[in-house]
Amino acid sequence: SFIYFFVFFSFFLSFFLFKTLRQEDEGRQRNRMSRVLVRKGNLFGLNRKKGGRAGAEDVHKSRCARPSNSSSSSSSPLSLVSPSSSFRRAEASKSLPDSSRVRSFGSRRVRCSCLNPGAGTSGSELAKMISQEESRSESSSYSSKEVQDWVSKKNKKKHSKKVSNKETVTVCAVDMGTNSFHMVIVRADARGKSVVVVEQMKEEVRILGGTGSFNVIMDEPKARAISVLKRIQDIANTKDCDMIRLVATSAVREAMNSNAFLRHVQEATGLDVEVISGQEEARLVYLGAMQAVPIRDKNVLMLDIGGGSTEILYGKRGKAELAISLQLGHLRLFEQCMGTLDEEGRIPMEKVEECRSRIQLVLNETGINEELRELTKGPNALEIAVGCSGTIERVQAMIAANKEKIGIKLPPLEKENDARRSILGELQLPLELDPHSLAVTLNDASMNESVLEDFKFTLEELRELISTVTSCQTRKERATLPGMNVKRVDLIVTGALILEGVMDYLRLDSMTVSPFALREGVIFDSLSKSIPGFKPAPDIRRDSLMHLATRFDTENRLKSAKHSAKLAKQLVGSLRAGANPPKVLEILDERFEFLLEAGILLHSVGIFVNHAKHHKHAYYIIKNSDILLGFMPMEIEILALLALYHRKKYPNPKKAAMAKIPKDIQERIVLMTAIIRVCIALDRRNTAAAIESIQVLQDKESNSCVLVATPGVDIEGMVNDLSFEIWAVKQELEYFSSVLERDFSIVEGDRVENGDDLASNSFLSS
């Protein structure tokens, strides 16, 4: 009993002493923190009292007492515990304004009203700040501005560190058009070199449809818009987007109740909508189109036909010189001139002529024709006209589907995803959106039926299409037209009429369609703002081409491929400069010379999968690549076929891979394949140094030609042995000779060193 009593008494005494010492220690710490809060009162949202010291004591007595339960703790405006407790971040109190933040010390909250709403100060930083404050003299004090600057500097430093450490940036861009909302999510690396589409979505909203006056957003379209934006927000959150940027165009820009609509959107989704002007819209469209079509170094006319407005821009070498926005959209024109159609959707010819008259009236009022004539004089002459938007893409798809040389009839679609080649570098017509996952699958079996012709049409082809569409008596007849989309059976009429009117007014004979438009322009503009030093590549095609070649360069073959591409340029140039150049080279223009070079650079990417049958692997990689930017679907197909036929079998028009290609493109593929196989053989050992240059000697009187291969030198200055390369070239000369209709042979030439007489070299003198 005595032992039990002694143990109990010792335990009780130890507990009493420990509790007493702890209370004294906590009291000293509270007093010390109270002094800190007085000098940095503005940091915690406290109002200084005139008494200074008395204020601190009042704060301490009235607010620093430990509450008895959790409810009192949450309701207390200020409560503190020992700094020895763990510091942790608390969520912002719902009862506080947005500009405030609530931070926890242990289980208690402190309101920090002067902190930056976009960033926070961690507990460790605050503890360090308090420790530094204790070492200061009693007379030292800080102003509110000084404390706020200190916190802002810390938060800015912390935020920038977080961004710089991220390997990728994910951006969501939404084009809130008059007829439909377009969303695209891309992921770019920190350097901005790789841009890959993660998700896409399109929803028809018709935000100003059926309003008659066309300047009020009604409750029903507003509800549709908010519902679509909520789904977009859910997708963006799922993809962990760093930025969501919404841009609204003419519908919201011109609506009388636009401010109320924007407020309702912000309250329902928390998203801020950026309403852009017509000129800014044209600039962003131009920026997006430059990433898809090689027009950066050209004088270009851009045309974007939307539901509520039409943007026209003249760009000179990548810089916008003139931008104008017309209150002329396909949905606006339809409601103004067509009105409500009957049940069968008949469009009288009187209505068609009324649309043409109104289009001509609007264009005449702008005076853009005179301005363009002044801007496009002399060296500034217009070189190419480029069209964007779903309307122009649909027109081009219908024209292409009607061409006899393609022979493709696209079935009417129940759901449209535009004839848009995404940033992934592939055509999306006629893709379907999964209603559950909204995932887009590219290059599946249905892609074999896609239109592979270039995105280009003429004014005459457009007029023939309009005649065909307007001759259809009912909506059902229009829906059966090749390439038609059931959701555009009515609006395609007014959209095509606007396109015809603009092309005729500006005297444009043809138009090239860009798969990129406003939303892609928003993406690249946002990346420029979110990634320090990011600039869209001056040549997006070459930049993405090198990215793909580098990504799949597993055996250091890219260096050899670059050397073979250099030899191909020399070979083609020497053939053209000869006394009797082959006539077949006339079909190899500047564009296809670039594709020839690109095909050589990508011919070995299949080795990444396996060396065996790597030409087939290369075909699959190029066809399904998510890296190639700015290439048209036809160009993607050409590059894939050049990689497929760079070894083993030769191109055969009867095979499935070649049968769907137009005949004129087949001839170019055969010619480029013959050149590629010879140039790859010229560096058979992949040394990029065996042969230094290649020349062609041509006989004026016969079809005989001689390839002269000049050897390179190794590190020790010894001339390279070309026996293996010459043997490899001879294996390809039979096919090369049949394609170019010449008799070719190859010999090794002499090197011309410095000081040698050029005339003494028989090959060079020839």
Side-chain angles (χ1 to χ4, degrees):
S1 299
F2 176 79
I3 293 174
Y4 283 128
F5 174 79
F6 179 80
V7 171
F8 176 80
F9 179 79
S10 301
F11 175 80
F12 178 81
L13 181 61
S14 301
F15 175 80
F16 177 79
L17 292 176
F18 175 80
K19 184 177 181 181
T20 302
L21 293 175
R22 182 173 179 83
Q23 288 178 349
E24 292 178 356
D25 182 67
E26 289 181 353
R28 287 193 299 270
Q29 291 174 348
R30 288 171 186 164
N31 292 334
R32 193 165 52 206
M33 292 183 68
S34 297
R35 290 194 297 271
V36 173
L37 293 178
V38 169
R39 286 192 294 270
K40 293 200 172 184
N42 286 330
L43 176 64
F44 299 97
L46 301 178
N47 297 321
R48 289 185 179 227
K49 295 187 178 181
K50 294 182 179 180
R53 263 305 187 184
E57 294 176 358
D58 292 341
V59 169
H60 176 66
K61 290 180 180 179
S62 62
R63 298 183 177 180
C64 290
R66 182 185 296 271
S68 58
N69 51 45
S70 59
S71 62
S72 62
S73 174
S74 61
S75 61
S76 176
L78 176 65
S79 56
L80 300 174
V81 296
S82 169
S84 61
S85 302
S86 61
F87 290 93
R88 66 178 182 267
R89 176 177 293 183
E91 296 182 356
S93 175
K94 295 181 179 179
S95 62
L96 298 178
D98 293 339
S99 60
S100 302
R101 287 292 183 269
V102 177
R103 306 212 166 272
S104 293
F105 296 85
S107 61
R108 315 300 178 88
R109 296 183 177 182
V110 178
R111 177 175 175 180
C112 308
S113 62
C114 71
L115 296 181
N116 184 358
T121 305
S122 64
S124 61
E125 292 176 331
L126 187 57
K128 182 179 179 181
M129 179 187 70
I130 294 174
S131 176
Q132 294 175 349
E133 180 63 21
E134 290 179 312
S135 64
R136 294 181 177 268
S137 62
E138 285 290 324
S139 60
S140 62
S141 62
Y142 298 91
S143 65
S144 173
K145 185 177 185 302
E146 186 178 0
V147 174
Q148 190 169 358
D149 291 343
W150 182 87
V151 174
S152 300
K153 183 178 179 181
K154 285 287 184 182
N155 291 334
K156 184 177 181 182
K157 181 177 180 181
K158 180 180 179 181
H159 179 69
S160 62
K161 181 178 180 182
K162 180 179 180 181
V163 173
S164 62
N165 286 340
K166 293 196 65 175
E167 295 182 356
T168 60
V169 177
T170 306
V171 179
C172 173
V174 181
D175 170 15
M176 298 173 58
T178 304
N179 185 55
S180 56
F181 286 6
H182 300 259
M183 179 209 74
V184 60
I185 300 177
V186 303
R187 182 174 293 118
D189 63 9
R191 297 174 299 172
K193 295 296 184 183
S194 172
V195 183
V196 179
V197 163
V198 177
E199 190 64 84
Q200 294 183 98
M201 174 182 173
K202 176 184 176 181
E203 288 285 344
E204 186 177 276
V205 178
R206 294 200 178 187
I207 195 170
L208 285 181
T211 61
S213 61
F214 209 79
N215 60 354
V216 176
I217 302 176
M218 305 300 289
D219 291 339
E220 185 177 351
K222 180 180 69 177
R224 289 198 302 266
I226 292 177
S227 176
V228 171
L229 291 178
K230 285 183 177 180
R231 290 199 294 273
I232 290 175
Q233 189 178 30
D234 292 339
I235 297 174
N237 292 336
T238 302
K239 301 301 180 180
D240 194 21
C241 291
D242 300 289
M243 176 190 301
I244 303 177
R245 186 178 177 187
L246 290 78
V247 295
T249 55
S250 63
V252 180
R253 184 169 63 234
E254 300 172 10
M256 296 178 62
N257 59 340
S258 61
N259 291 333
F261 170 74
L262 296 176
R263 186 177 67 253
H264 291 157
V265 170
Q266 207 282 332
E267 292 174 354
T269 64
L271 300 174
D272 294 324
V273 180
E274 179 183 349
V275 183
I276 59 177
S277 65
Q279 289 72 21
E280 175 66 8
E281 182 179 353
R283 185 192 69 85
L284 292 174
V285 170
Y286 184 37
L287 177 62
M290 283 192 294
Q291 314 308 315
V293 185
I295 57 175
R296 188 177 294 271
D297 58 344
K298 298 180 182 296
N299 299 328
V300 59
L301 180 77
M302 294 291 307
L303 178 64
D304 180 19
I305 301 176
S309 66
T310 294
E311 279 66 42
I312 301 175
L313 180 142
Y314 171 70
K316 178 183 176 183
R317 304 292 188 266
K319 181 180 178 182
E321 297 289 341
L322 172 66
I324 186 171
S325 180
L326 309 178
Q327 292 186 350
L328 192 67
H330 56 76
L331 182 56
R332 182 195 296 268
L333 184 65
F334 187 88
E335 297 209 350
Q336 289 177 343
C337 297
M338 299 291 184
T340 303
L341 303 180
D342 57 21
E343 294 182 358
E344 295 185 351
R346 299 179 185 274
I347 299 180
M349 289 304 298
E350 295 80 8
K351 297 291 185 181
V352 174
E353 294 303 322
E354 183 181 349
C355 289
R356 284 195 170 106
S357 299
R358 187 170 187 85
I359 293 169
Q360 191 67 30
L361 178 63
V362 174
L363 290 172
N364 290 334
E365 291 177 351
T366 62
I368 187 174
N369 205 357
E370 291 73 14
E371 293 186 57
L372 280 176
R373 288 179 183 177
E374 292 295 327
L375 289 173
T376 56
K377 287 183 178 179
N380 298 326
L382 192 65
E383 298 178 81
I384 185 174
V386 178
C388 305
S389 76
T391 297
I392 300 179
E393 290 176 0
R394 179 55 54 185
V395 166
Q396 189 278 333
M398 295 180 68
I399 292 174
N402 284 314
K403 289 183 178 179
E404 294 181 357
K405 65 177 181 179
I406 295 181
I408 298 176
K409 291 187 177 181
L410 300 178
L413 304 179
E414 297 297 331
K415 188 181 286 281
E416 181 187 27
N417 189 35
D418 282 344
R420 177 186 299 273
R421 189 191 65 78
S422 71
I423 299 181
L424 297 179
E426 301 294 340
L427 186 67
Q428 294 187 11
L429 175 69
L431 295 179
E432 296 287 342
L433 287 176
D434 186 342
H436 302 290
S437 65
L438 293 173
V440 180
T441 305
L442 299 177
N443 303 301
D444 53 12
S446 65
M447 291 298 295
N448 294 332
E449 301 299 325
S450 299
V451 179
L452 293 175
E453 186 55 79
D454 293 336
F455 280 7
K456 188 176 182 178
F457 59 89
T458 64
L459 179 59
E460 291 302 322
E461 291 172 340
L462 174 61
R463 286 173 174 164
E464 292 177 4
L465 175 66
I466 293 176
S467 177
T468 302
V469 173
T470 55
S471 63
C472 296
Q473 296 297 321
T474 63
R475 183 181 292 111
K476 185 176 181 180
E477 291 182 17
R478 292 195 297 272
T480 59
L481 293 176
M484 176 63 78
N485 182 279
V486 293
K487 290 186 177 182
R488 290 187 179 268
V489 290
D490 295 335
L491 296 180
I492 194 64
V493 178
T494 52
L497 289 173
I498 294 174
L499 181 58
E500 178 197 30
V502 173
M503 291 184 67
D504 186 57
Y505 180 75
L506 299 179
R507 301 177 183 177
L508 304 176
D509 296 328
S510 63
M511 179 165 289
T512 300
V513 182
S514 167
F516 287 9
L518 177 60
R519 63 178 183 177
E520 286 80 14
V522 173
I523 283 292
F524 284 97
D525 187 63
S526 301
L527 290 175
S528 301
K529 296 177 180 178
S530 59
I531 300 178
F534 173 83
K535 291 183 179 180
D539 189 348
I540 191 68
R541 287 152 59 91
R542 188 173 295 276
D543 188 74
S544 62
L545 177 68
M546 293 306 301
H547 183 202
L548 178 62
T550 304
R551 181 173 180 178
F552 292 95
D553 183 24
T554 56
E555 296 185 4
N556 199 24
R557 294 289 187 95
L558 181 57
K559 183 178 179 181
S560 173
K562 289 181 179 179
H563 186 66
S564 296
K566 171 188 170 185
L567 296 177
K569 287 183 179 181
Q570 295 178 358
L571 178 60
V572 174
S574 184
L575 283 170
R576 283 180 170 161
N580 188 18
K583 292 183 179 181
V584 70
L585 290 178
E586 295 176 359
I587 64 175
L588 197 65
D589 56 16
E590 180 181 357
R591 174 194 174 194
F592 285 95
E593 282 190 20
F594 172 76
L595 294 177
L596 172 66
E597 178 187 1
I600 297 176
L601 292 175
L602 297 179
H603 79 276
S604 62
V605 296
I607 299 178
F608 180 87
V609 179
N610 194 349
H611 194 282
K613 300 181 180 180
H614 70 265
H615 56 296
K616 296 183 179 180
H617 302 318
Y619 175 83
Y620 175 82
I621 289 174
I622 296 173
K623 281 274 292 182
N624 296 272
S625 171
D626 62 350
I627 296 176
L628 290 175
L629 307 180
F631 287 88
M632 294 295 183
M634 171 60 77
E635 295 173 331
I636 297 287
E637 185 74 15
I638 291 173
L639 294 178
L641 290 173
L642 292 179
L644 177 65
Y645 293 122
H646 86 272
R647 65 191 294 263
K648 300 293 184 179
K649 294 182 179 180
Y650 299 108
N652 186 352
K654 296 182 180 180
K655 296 294 183 179
M658 290 280 290
K660 57 186 177 182
I661 304 296
K663 186 177 180 180
D664 57 334
I665 302 298
Q666 291 180 3
E667 295 174 355
R668 291 178 171 92
I669 291 176
V670 170
L671 174 60
M672 289 189 288
T673 299
I675 297 174
I676 286 177
R677 294 174 77 111
V678 168
C679 293
I680 292 176
L682 287 172
D683 195 44
R684 184 63 180 82
R685 288 176 293 175
N686 303 308
T687 61
I691 294 178
E692 187 176 85
S693 62
I694 188 74
Q695 299 179 43
V696 182
L697 303 180
Q698 302 180 26
D699 192 341
K700 296 181 181 180
E701 300 178 356
S702 65
N703 290 332
S704 299
C705 297
V706 179
L707 301 180
V708 182
T710 303
V713 294
D714 57 18
I715 300 177
E716 299 178 354
M718 302 297 293
V719 177
N720 292 322
D721 180 16
L722 304 186
S723 57
F724 190 45
E725 279 73 20
I726 290 179
W727 171 84
V729 171
K730 287 181 178 179
Q731 311 307 309
E732 306 292 346
L733 282 184
E734 181 179 356
Y735 181 71
F736 187 72
S737 299
S738 63
V739 172
L740 273 73
E741 300 177 349
R742 295 287 189 274
D743 295 329
F744 283 93
S745 58
I746 183 171
V747 296
E748 178 179 348
D750 294 335
R751 287 183 53 82
V752 180
E753 304 294 345
N754 293 335
D756 289 351
D757 186 6
L758 295 179
S760 63
N761 188 299
S762 58
F763 294 116
L764 294 179
S765 61
S766 302

